Structures are given as C-alpha cells and as structure tokens.
Amino acid sequence: KAGVTQTPRYLIKTRGQQVTLSCSPISGHRSVSWYQQTPGQGLQFLFEYFSETQRNKGNFPGRFSGRQFSNSRSEMNVSTLELGDSALYLCASSAARGTGNEKLFFGSGTQLSVL
Amino acid sequence: GQSLEQPSEVTAVEGAIVQINCTYQTSGFYGLSWYQQHDGGAPTFLSYNALDGLEETGRFSSFLSRSDSYGYLLLQELQMKDSASYFCAVRSGGGSYIPTFGRGTSLIVHP
C-alpha cells in the first residue's frame, strides 16, 4: 500500500506570493491533517479534515487554508507569504477520525522557503 | 490550553537504555502517542497509550500515568540508527480536540 504522498517536495517562493501544497493520503484513509514544523518548535497543528469537512483548526492566521476532496486528497494554501512561513509542512492521514486511538501516517513533507 | 514538556536532547551509547520523559497539561485527555523522526524524514508512529501502564513493542516501550500527567518512552539496546528526534503527542478534548506535539527530544547515540 502506498504511503502518504506530498508534492512538491521543495518550494521556493517570494514574500507576497501564494502557494498550494498537495497531499494524497493512504488509500482508504479519510482523515487528513496538516502541520507546520520549524526547527525547535515541534509540529504545530494547522487543520484537520474528515470526509471533506474541516473538523479542527489550529491557531494560525486566515492566510492558511485548506480543503479536502471527495477522494480524500487534500490541499493547503498559504496566501500573502511571509518570511516566517518558511517551514516544513507535513501532512498526515489516518483511518480513524481522531477519536484517540488513531495512528498518524506522515508524508515526507514540503519544504517551503520564502525569500 | 494544551502543553507538553520533554527534554530537548538526550545522549547515550550503543547498547544502553534511555528514557525520554514527557509531561503534559491538557483538558479532556484521550491518549499519549510517540513518534520518531530522522533528519530529513517523515515522523513515524512508535506507540500509543490510552490507559495507565506499560506498552511494549520490541526494543521500545512506552509508559503512561494519567494521574501524574506523565509518560515516557524507553528505548533498550540502543543502536546508532536510533539517533533521531522523538516527539510525544496528545489528543485532548475541551471542545477543540486538537492534536498537540511536544517540541521533540533529539537522541544522540554514540558508538
């Protein structure tokens, strides 16, 4: 079974631009969540989708948005990029809806650099 | 809000045993998970504790004490390949049910 696939792997943008990142979950997984990882900060939760509905949202500005499609693939968008948005963006999928005993499967991430 | 505390770095030698602690403050706690992440790699799931006690999976074990809001990951028979970052994570309630990760512990295994 293929793992979680994130594209692109690397991305370089300039301030003010917008970016769209893509995530294909493991086949059969309906829950997708997104995280921002910066050195020393751990993983900061962005949002979580289940069956095309956003279930939870982290403490990030409205410039960060996402969606999930009927095939469970998900995209996240960051508009008006700032230097501080430079980070590794990770996507994770799970079979459960996050009722506690879920196991998250992570993709390798998209490394975003904002110049 | 939710918060987790874990040491930033732990060092050990090959063959040794190391324990990585994690304390948490959450509301509506559901369970504590552990993830391993090698440099440049994706986090991978190691273990999950919903109830008090020890869960063993090969060389790795994880412990939870809900009354103490504390857990740990125990790695035995350390190998060089165990050098990585280890994150504890909780799913908590309080209406938001947001997954919260610790900042990670960098484990350095020396020969």
Side-chain angles (χ1 to χ4, degrees):
Chain A
K1 190 186 264 193
V4 177
T5 304
Q6 289 188 247
T7 56
R9 184 72 179 90
Y10 300 95
L11 205 50
I12 299 175
K13 292 286 188 179
T14 56
R15 280 181 300 174
Q17 288 187 309
Q18 75 165 20
V19 66
T20 299
L21 312 181
S22 179
C23 172
S24 293
I26 290 172
S27 178
H29 285 191
R30 297 165 64 189
S31 178
V32 173
S33 52
W34 288 88
Y35 304 84
Q36 182 193 67
Q37 185 176 32
T38 53
Q41 292 299 311
L43 286 79
Q44 304 290 314
F45 172 77
L46 282 155
F47 23 68
E48 179 181 40
Y49 290 87
F50 183 82
S51 294
E52 302 179 66
T53 301
Q54 186 179 91
R55 295 295 185 177
N56 290 296
K57 190 177 194 304
N59 189 27
F60 278 82
R63 300 185 296 108
F64 291 81
S65 62
R67 59 179 176 168
Q68 186 180 33
F69 302 95
S70 58
N71 61 359
S72 294
R73 191 177 71 84
S74 178
E75 289 181 347
M76 69 163 280
N77 185 78
V78 187
S79 62
T80 319
L81 284 166
E82 300 177 359
L83 296 179
D85 297 333
S86 295
L88 178 67
Y89 290 88
L90 292 161
C91 162
S93 75
S94 68
R97 205 217 104 180
T99 53
N101 194 18
E102 88 282 10
K103 176 178 172 180
L104 297 178
F105 294 81
F106 283 87
S108 296
T110 294
Q111 184 67 54
L112 173 64
S113 297
V114 182
L115 306 178
Chain B
Q2 283 72 246
S3 68
L4 294 92
E5 294 290 331
Q6 53 181 126
S8 59
E9 186 177 295
V10 172
T11 61
V13 296
E14 265 188 307
I17 299 173
V18 72
Q19 178 174 311
I20 300 174
N21 299 319
C22 175
T23 57
Y24 58 87
Q25 286 186 314
T26 68
S27 56
F29 176 83
Y30 288 96
L32 182 72
S33 303
W34 289 92
Y35 288 83
Q36 177 193 61
Q37 185 180 29
H38 287 97
D39 278 349
T44 56
F45 174 85
L46 291 176
S47 68
Y48 174 78
N49 295 69
L51 304 174
D52 287 359
L54 192 68
E55 295 281 343
E56 297 180 73
T57 309
R59 296 187 297 113
F60 294 1
S61 302
S62 58
F63 172 82
L64 176 66
S65 169
R66 296 173 67 123
S67 60
D68 295 323
S69 297
Y70 163 77
Y72 66 72
L73 179 69
L74 191 73
L75 298 84
Q76 303 181 74
E77 301 172 20
L78 281 174
Q79 302 175 10
M80 296 295 290
K81 67 178 182 180
D82 297 329
S83 292
S85 291
Y86 293 83
F87 297 89
C88 57
V90 299
R91 279 273 194 180
S92 52
S96 60
Y97 202 61
I98 288 177
T100 304
F101 283 77
R103 294 191 174 193
T105 297
S106 177
L107 171 62
I108 301 170
V109 180
H110 296 288

